[in-house]
Amino acid sequence: MTGSVAGLVLLSAVLHVLWNTLVKTSGDKLSFAWLTNVLGMLFLGVPFAWLRMADPGFLGPEVLGWAAVSGVMQAFYVVLLFAAYDHADLSVVYPVCRGLAPLLVMLLAGRLTGDATGPLQAVGVALVAAGTAAVGAASRDKATGRLTWLGLALSVLTAFGTAGYSLADRRGMSLSPGPGAVEFLFVSYVVLCVLLTAYCAWRRPGLAGMFSQWKENRRGVLLVSALMTLSYVCIVAALGTGNVVLVTAGRNVGILLATLAGGLLLHERVSRGRAAGSVVIFAGLALLVLG
């Protein structure tokens, strides 16, 4: 991984943890999800229009197709992630969904993108699986002490969305001639927002429900929109030249940051098992990057 790609990955990870922490503290998750993504699309619309006039990238049918696939997978990811935060702590959801994603990417990357991995990464896979299991086992309801199966299941499913859009982004951004990162991301955001709007309209008929968080938490909506968009621009740019397995794994330095944020900022009970599992996941991801 080159220095420029590593820098983009690290910046994306920090921004990603910040906006996930804010999502966890938001009220109506469905309204918050819709507003932040629609505003993110609007934020991208200005540089997209400027780039199309000044220095356009290539947006042929294959590029648009992969951008659409990415948008579909992002919609799947957003719906599940925001729902997971309704049922489990940040220090559970984040390590599980981010830790499993690189494993899924590694299983498919060779065939779909041609990105190879080394033998040491098999050990990394085992560590990530063990760490994820430890975090999952530590995900317990405060009142009953029972496993929070729904939150855990949603977190696991969210990982499939992350893997899906990461692979689609890598395929689209590695085409030659190819698009610019902002242009590719804007197209995927359009698809994401169309699907998310349809889903929200089905679940929450009427505009009042969809805009509820704009009235209650306008500052949070604006901040998450900006952080989310910038985080994705960084990672899509990194995927233009970086190995998708290493990029997806490398950005998960955020797992440790999310565990700290859960304990220090959100006052979650981060048990020894949960903390140890996060460290093991991080160690496994480090092997994936270094191997």
Side-chain angles (χ1 to χ4, degrees):
M1 189 184 296
T2 64
S4 59
V5 170
L8 288 169
V9 169
L10 180 59
L11 177 58
S12 174
V14 173
L15 296 174
H16 196 267
V17 172
L18 287 174
W19 73 253
N20 272 262
T21 304
L22 291 169
V23 167
K24 177 59 183 173
T25 62
S26 66
D28 185 337
K29 298 292 191 294
L30 192 60
S31 170
F32 200 81
W34 181 74
L35 284 167
T36 51
N37 282 280
V38 169
L39 282 175
M41 180 188 69
L42 296 177
F43 289 159
L44 286 169
V46 175
F48 173 82
W50 183 83
L51 286 169
R52 296 312 296 169
M53 293 185 293
D55 186 25
F58 182 73
L59 289 181
E62 192 173 5
V63 173
L64 293 174
W66 283 113
V69 172
S70 176
V72 171
M73 297 309 298
Q74 285 184 56
F76 181 77
Y77 160 82
V78 167
V79 169
L80 291 170
L81 177 68
F82 281 67
Y85 281 133
D86 261 337
H87 299 281
D89 290 341
L90 173 72
S91 53
V92 170
V93 175
Y94 201 95
V96 171
C97 70
R98 305 311 297 181
L100 287 178
L103 306 188
L104 299 172
V105 168
M106 190 171 68
L107 290 173
L108 298 171
R111 178 171 296 182
L112 293 178
T113 67
D115 291 334
T117 55
L120 186 60
Q121 290 161 342
V123 179
V125 170
L127 286 175
V128 171
T132 302
V135 172
S139 172
R140 297 181 179 275
D141 184 85
K142 295 177 181 178
T144 65
R146 297 177 180 175
L147 288 175
T148 52
W149 289 110
L150 180 56
L152 189 58
L154 289 168
S155 302
V156 171
L157 289 173
T158 300
F160 283 86
T162 303
Y165 74 69
S166 297
L167 289 166
D169 291 345
R170 173 62 172 151
R171 281 297 301 268
M173 288 298 296
S174 62
L175 293 173
S176 182
V182 171
E183 295 165 296
F184 184 88
L185 190 57
F186 176 76
V187 175
S188 69
Y189 252 78
V190 171
V191 176
L192 159 65
C193 289
V194 168
L195 294 175
L196 195 56
T197 299
Y199 177 78
C200 290
W202 171 62
R203 290 290 307 275
R204 192 75 52 78
L207 290 176
M210 294 171 70
F211 279 94
S212 66
Q213 283 294 289
W214 183 250
K215 298 177 182 179
E216 299 174 12
N217 190 12
R218 186 172 304 180
R219 181 179 298 179
V221 167
L222 290 170
L223 186 55
V224 169
S225 301
L227 292 172
M228 182 187 293
T229 304
L230 183 55
S231 172
Y232 284 150
V233 168
C234 289
I235 212 65
V236 170
L239 286 168
T241 56
N243 182 305
V244 65
V245 178
L246 304 188
V247 169
T248 308
R251 67 186 299 204
N252 289 337
V253 65
I255 286 174
L256 293 181
L257 300 177
T259 302
L260 290 172
L264 299 176
L265 300 179
L266 304 182
H267 306 295
E268 297 173 354
R269 182 181 176 274
V270 182
S271 65
R272 291 181 180 179
R274 191 181 298 184
S278 296
V279 172
V280 171
I281 291 172
F282 180 75
L285 294 173
L287 287 179
L288 285 175
V289 173
L290 298 174

